[in-house]
C-alpha cells in the first residue's frame, strides 16, 4: 500500500515495518526483501500484550534450572502470559490504553516501556539498513493508540517518515499479493 501511495515499487524501497499486535515484529526490508526481523513468535524483541520480549539470558537460564516450572509453563510465560498479561493481568492493549488515558500510573509506565522497546527495535533495524530508510511503517491493532504512536515517533522520526497503517490487515495483504502473483504483476520470492 505504501509503495503504491508513493508511486514506487516495493523493490525500490528500504522500509522498516513494525507490526504491533499480540506480539511485536519489526523487520528491515531492503529493495523488496526482508533481510532481518526479530523472532516475535517466541517473544524476541520488545515485550507486547502477550509476549515477554527479549529477556536477560542469565535470569532465564536460572529460572530453567530451578525446576519450579515445566517447559510448557515456561513457554506460556514467554509467549502467552508475558508482557501486559504479566504486568497488568490483561492482554488487551485497548484496556491498557484506556487505563493510561485515565491516569493509571502503572498502566502508563508499562505502555511507555513497551513503546520505548519498540522504538529501540525500530532504530536497530534502521541500522541494519545503514540508515538508508525511505519510511518506517507501523501496522497492527496497537497502531490505533495515539500515545504509543507518538512515543515511537519521538524516538525514530528523525531517521525517516513514520507512516501508520492501523489495524489487523494481514489476510487482506496476503490476498492482495496472491492476486498480484496470479496476474503476473509480481513474482513470488524464494528465500533460502
Amino acid at each position: 500500500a505504501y509503495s503504491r501511495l508513493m508511486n514506487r515499487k516495493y523493490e525500490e524501497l528500504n522500509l522498516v515495518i513494525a507490526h504491533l499486535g499480540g506480539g511485536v515484529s519489526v523487520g528491515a526490508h531492503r529493495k523488496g526483501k526482508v533481510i532481518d526481523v526479530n523472532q516475535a513468535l517466541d517473544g524476541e524483541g520488545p515485550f507486547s500484550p502477550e509476549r515477554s520480549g527479549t529477556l536477560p539470558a542469565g535470569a532465564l537460564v536460572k529460572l530453567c534450572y530451578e525446576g519450579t516450572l515445566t517447559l510448557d509453563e515456561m513457554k506460556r510465560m514467554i509467549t502467552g502470559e508475558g508482557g501486559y498479561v504479566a504486568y497488568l493481568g490483561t492482554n488487551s492493549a485497548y484496556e491498557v490504553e484506556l487505563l493510561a488515558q485515565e491516569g493509571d500510573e502503572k498502566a502508563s509506565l508499562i505502555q511507555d516501556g513497551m513503546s520505548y522497546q519498540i522504538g529501540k527495535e525500530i532504530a536497530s533495524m534502521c541500522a541494519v539498513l545503514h540508515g538508508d530508510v525511505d519510511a518506517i511503517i507501523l501496522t497492527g491493532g496497537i497502531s490505533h493508540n495515539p500515545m504509543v504512536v507518538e512515543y515511537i515517533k519521538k524516538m525514530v522520526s528523525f531517521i525517516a517518515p513514520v507512516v501508520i497503517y492501523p489495524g489487523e490487515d494481514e489476510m487482506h495483504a496476503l490476498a492482495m499479493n496472491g492476486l498480484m502473483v496470479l496476474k503476473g504483476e509480481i513474482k513470488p520470492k524464494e528465500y533460502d
Side-chain angles (χ1 to χ4, degrees):
Y2 177 77
S3 61
R4 277 183 282 143
L5 177 69
M6 299 308 294
N7 203 23
R8 293 177 69 190
K9 292 181 179 180
Y10 170 62
E11 293 78 12
E12 298 172 352
L13 298 169
N14 288 339
L15 305 168
V16 172
I17 301 176
H19 179 78
L20 315 180
V24 173
S25 62
V26 182
H29 298 239
R30 182 188 308 143
K31 308 293 185 208
K33 281 191 171 181
V34 179
I35 61 168
D36 199 352
V37 66
N38 64 301
Q39 213 285 42
L41 186 61
D42 285 337
E44 181 189 30
F47 75 84
S48 68
E50 297 179 345
R51 291 177 181 73
S52 65
T54 301
L55 298 170
L60 185 60
V61 168
K62 183 179 178 196
L63 184 60
C64 290
Y65 282 93
E66 285 178 353
T68 56
L69 298 172
T70 67
L71 176 61
D72 287 340
E73 289 170 332
M74 292 208 51
K75 284 181 179 180
R76 273 195 312 277
M77 182 183 75
I78 292 170
T79 61
E81 298 172 1
Y84 281 4
V85 174
Y87 289 122
L88 300 167
T90 181
N91 68 352
S92 171
Y94 183 64
E95 185 179 323
V96 174
E97 176 184 355
L98 293 178
L99 288 169
Q101 285 175 351
E102 293 167 2
D104 184 305
E105 289 182 25
K106 184 175 181 182
S108 213
L109 178 68
I110 300 302
Q111 181 175 264
D112 285 353
M114 181 186 70
S115 302
Y116 172 84
Q117 287 189 359
I118 294 168
K120 196 164 98 170
E121 189 77 15
I122 289 169
S124 73
M125 290 299 171
C126 291
V128 168
L129 294 168
H130 302 257
D132 181 15
V133 181
D134 293 298
I136 297 164
I137 299 173
L138 304 181
T139 70
I142 297 174
S143 61
H144 283 289
N145 181 330
M147 292 180 286
V148 170
V149 168
E150 286 308 309
Y151 195 107
I152 294 168
K153 279 183 174 182
K154 284 180 186 174
M155 287 184 74
V156 300
S157 63
F158 74 95
I159 301 168
V162 178
V163 181
I164 315 302
Y165 288 101
E168 307 288 337
D169 208 17
E170 296 96 341
M171 291 302 127
H172 180 266
L174 286 170
M176 180 183 72
N177 280 279
L179 183 60
M180 291 168 68
V181 167
L182 293 172
K183 288 181 172 182
E185 296 172 9
I186 61 172
K187 291 184 182 202
K189 293 180 175 37
E190 288 187 34
Y191 291 90
D192 298 324

